[in-house]
DNA sequence: TTCGTTTATGACCGATTGGTCATTTTTAAT
DNA sequence: ATTAAAAATGACCAATCGGTCATAAACGAA
């Protein structure tokens, strides 16, 4: 990796939590200068403008979340265990696995009325997240762990919505506890289709 | 109502959808000048600074949502009908009843890492929303419509989370359809406790 | 109608924004 | 060690930010 590429990656890693916490509009290039200890001119060597940095950072945050989720899922064996692992890894919105909280929620809500490109990126991540859940259940059905009468695609949507809604509730409450109520409800729905 | 109070209300009504769409940080006082056709000095006659306007507008948007929900609930008779009405009135996130979408989601996600006062306001609204759902079910139980074994407080939390998660999904998808999947799941859970 | 008070105006302020660029320093292939 | 390219610097720019204030217009009670 060249020096330039290393610097670019360092900028992205430093900027990612700032944009995810403060938001796109509220984050100034000067914030990134402070975080990276780089001069303004240097930032613009690696990124054409703020928008290019924003797009890169939005992608980075969502991919970071994805990789953390996959890493957790890998450790679980059965489909049921994987579903529980998926819920658990997102069960501490106040101490989130990605600094600043779920980037789909953060960037999605900021961008939905103002930034079509970011909105599209978030939508793709939202669809992909449901696909992950959906695939876990599908495999569980194929391997005889769940009933094949389960409308698992609809459930994946519901499960994702419940978890994201739980993020809002817990983050403004400054408390992770209510996420356990959501987990319990999901577990009950899951158990109804277990064979 | 004095001339001043009329102007103040006009400013709030004009500013509310702008802040709810663009976000607090991205909205400039010049945006409010354009929307109200008022001079900058005039805005500062009615509001000490941007922050006071922001606090007023955040409250206004959430109260507006509340009043629209109550208005809808009033028309429904049974507890079941009220629950359905509650879901239905929030089932079109792309064409929301409050311009810009759910203010709890919008302001909550922007403020949770940067603005403690707004976060507290949103949390109170989130708790209140669950209380409304909870009260509907409690009344239904007392009047023999639902089983008294239903853990309705936990369900109120789950229902609220599902609806808010649905807002995210639908708004970034630019499509209300998936809200019907969430509604169906909620209806099924509700029906399991009907007598 | 008078007249003090309230409301509205817009020029102005310092600070900060995103972005540029001539210059210097560092890198890395030869 | 040489040297051309890449990377880093920071002064500088116009535009916009939130906010102020002297002044004027409009209001409303007497």
């Amino acid at each position: 990796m060249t020096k330039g590429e290393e610097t670019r990656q360092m900028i992205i890693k430093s900027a990612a939590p700032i944009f995810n916490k403060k938001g796109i509009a509220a984050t100034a290039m000067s914030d990134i200068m402070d975080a990276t200890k780089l001069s303004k001119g240097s930032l613009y060597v690696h990124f054409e403008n703020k928008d290019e940095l924003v797009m890169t950072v939005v992608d980075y945050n969502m991919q970071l979340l994805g990789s953390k989720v996959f890493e957790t899922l890998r450790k679980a064996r059965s489909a049921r265990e994987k579903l529980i692992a998926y819920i658990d890894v997102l069960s501490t919105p106040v101490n989130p696995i990605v600094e600043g909280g779920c980037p789909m929620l953060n960037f999605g809500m900021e961008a939905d009325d103002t930034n079509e490109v970011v909105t599209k990126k978030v939508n793709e991540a939202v669809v992909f997240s449901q696909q992950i859940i959906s695939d876990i259940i599908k495999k569980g059905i194929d391997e005889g762990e769940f009933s094949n009468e389960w409308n698992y695609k609809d459930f994946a949507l519901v499960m994702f919505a419940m978890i994201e809604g739980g993020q809002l509730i817990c983050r403004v409450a400054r408390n992770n506890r209510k996420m356990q109520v959501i987990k319990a409800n999901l577990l009950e729905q899951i158990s109804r289709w277990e064979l």
Side-chain angles (χ1 to χ4, degrees), chain A:
Chain A
M1 188 155 51
T2 74
K3 177 82 193 315
E5 188 56 29
E6 244 172 69
T7 303
R8 187 184 158 94
Q9 293 304 320
M10 182 272 281
I11 294 171
I12 295 168
K13 272 193 187 177
S14 303
I18 301 176
F19 277 106
N20 203 32
K21 282 186 212 158
K22 298 187 63 172
I24 295 168
T27 300
M29 293 304 279
S30 60
D31 294 325
I32 312 304
M33 289 167 61
D34 294 344
T36 57
K37 305 291 179 195
L38 249 40
S39 66
K40 174 163 285 192
S42 191
L43 291 183
Y44 281 90
V45 166
H46 302 281
F47 296 92
E48 203 182 298
N49 47 39
K50 183 184 172 182
D51 200 56
E52 194 203 330
L53 176 58
V54 165
M55 295 306 161
T56 309
V57 160
V58 167
D59 284 336
Y60 175 84
N61 270 310
M62 296 197 300
Q63 278 164 18
L64 181 65
L65 176 62
S67 66
K68 299 238 177 188
V69 167
F70 273 120
E71 197 182 316
T72 305
L73 289 182
R74 203 169 37 78
K75 296 170 190 163
R77 306 286 193 266
S78 66
R80 183 193 149 88
E81 275 171 11
K82 280 183 191 294
L83 289 176
I84 292 174
Y86 189 101
I87 298 165
D88 282 342
V89 81
L90 297 170
S91 282
T92 58
V94 180
N95 324 98
I97 48 172
V98 170
E99 207 177 331
C102 177
M104 290 178 280
L105 209 40
N106 286 332
F107 295 131
M109 285 301 100
E110 177 171 4
D112 63 349
D113 276 306
T114 56
N115 192 320
E116 203 59 46
V117 182
V118 170
T119 300
K120 195 184 173 191
K121 282 179 186 294
V122 172
N123 183 54
E124 283 165 7
V126 166
V127 169
F128 184 62
S129 298
Q130 292 170 48
Q131 187 67 48
I132 292 169
I133 300 171
S134 188
D135 286 347
I136 293 170
I137 303 176
K138 176 67 160 59
K139 191 151 177 277
I141 292 172
D142 290 345
E143 294 177 358
E145 198 178 337
F146 296 126
S147 162
N148 63 6
E149 289 178 35
W150 193 2
N151 188 337
Y152 62 94
K153 287 183 181 174
D154 280 3
F155 177 78
L157 172 77
V158 168
M159 175 166 151
F160 180 80
M162 279 173 65
I163 290 173
E164 292 299 316
Q167 308 291 313
L168 167 67
I169 294 170
C170 291
R171 286 190 68 86
V172 298
R174 305 281 189 231
N175 193 312
N176 293 327
R177 261 181 268 123
K178 291 179 180 169
M179 210 66 206
Q180 291 310 310
V181 175
I182 287 166
K183 178 180 177 181
N185 185 284
L186 284 170
L187 285 180
E188 210 229 325
Q189 291 198 55
I190 291 167
S191 70
R192 294 181 59 217
W193 300 97
E194 279 179 318
L195 297 176

